[in-house]
């Protein structure tokens, strides 16, 4: 199957994220039923988060855990802060004007291709820009 990648605001509403803001947390979800390896326990997958533009580049890798055994739904939180580079391991440092590229390698898609990279790009905005766009 082909995976589905989504980024949501990590708040009560959990709306789909149109843009990220430094200092906020986000819920990252990958739905990929064929990555369910063990039917009796929760599996894990890796998703990269790379900043494109706006300063020095850096890649963070996040571990997403299956929400329940045999579900194929994988979730994890991505915390952000303002900055460039490699300040804090496990925190995605972002600057307004840049873009975060979430990358996921599918071991086998619906066409039978292996090791296919799927990505989702989300722009980073200043908090005033985000408020004005809603």
């Amino acid at each position: 199957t082909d995976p589905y990648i989504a980024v949501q605001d990590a708040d009560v509403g959990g709306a789909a994220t149109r843009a990220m803001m430094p200092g906020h947390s986000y819920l990252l979800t990958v739905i990929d039923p064929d990555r369910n390896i063990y039917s009796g326990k929760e599996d894990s997958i890796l998703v990269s988060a790379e900043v494109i533009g706006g300063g020095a580049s850096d890649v963070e890798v996040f571990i997403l855990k299956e929400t329940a055994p045999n579900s194929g739904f994988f979730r994890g939180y991505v915390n952000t802060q303002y900055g460039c580079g490699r300040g804090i391991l496990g925190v995605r440092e972002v600057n307004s004007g840049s873009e975060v590229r979430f990358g996921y390698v599918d071991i086998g898609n619906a066409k039978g291709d292996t090791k296919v990279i799927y990505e989702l790009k989300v722009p980073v905005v200043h908090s005033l820009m985000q408020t004005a766009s809603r």
Side-chain angles (χ1 to χ4, degrees):
T1 60
D2 290 341
Y4 173 76
I5 304 171
V7 179
Q8 297 170 264
D9 297 338
D11 58 19
V12 177
T17 300
R18 291 184 291 165
M20 299 178 83
M21 291 185 293
H24 289 256
S25 295
Y26 298 91
L27 178 62
L28 178 59
T29 302
V30 173
I31 301 170
D32 190 3
D34 60 6
R35 284 303 292 263
N36 178 57
I37 310 279
Y38 301 105
S39 61
K41 69 177 195 173
E42 296 169 355
D43 296 298
S44 299
I45 62 169
L46 301 175
V47 176
S48 64
E50 177 182 11
V51 173
I52 301 167
S57 66
D58 181 29
V59 176
E60 292 285 342
V61 177
F62 294 91
I63 299 171
L64 277 57
K65 296 202 177 259
E66 199 169 17
T67 59
N70 211 30
S71 71
F73 283 70
F74 300 86
R75 287 195 159 153
Y77 287 96
V78 175
N79 296 312
T80 66
Q81 73 175 22
Y82 180 78
C84 311
R86 302 176 176 143
I88 300 175
L89 186 62
V91 174
R92 181 65 277 164
E93 293 178 325
V94 294
N95 288 313
S96 57
S98 63
E99 182 175 68
V100 178
R101 177 192 167 271
F102 293 97
Y104 168 69
V105 178
D106 190 9
I107 59 172
N109 69 10
K111 296 178 186 173
D113 300 325
T114 59
K115 300 179 184 172
V116 179
I117 299 173
Y118 288 84
E119 63 181 34
L120 174 67
K121 294 180 181 178
V122 181
V124 178
V125 299
H126 187 274
S127 60
L128 294 176
M129 293 171 65
Q130 178 70 8
T131 304
S133 68
R134 286 190 179 195

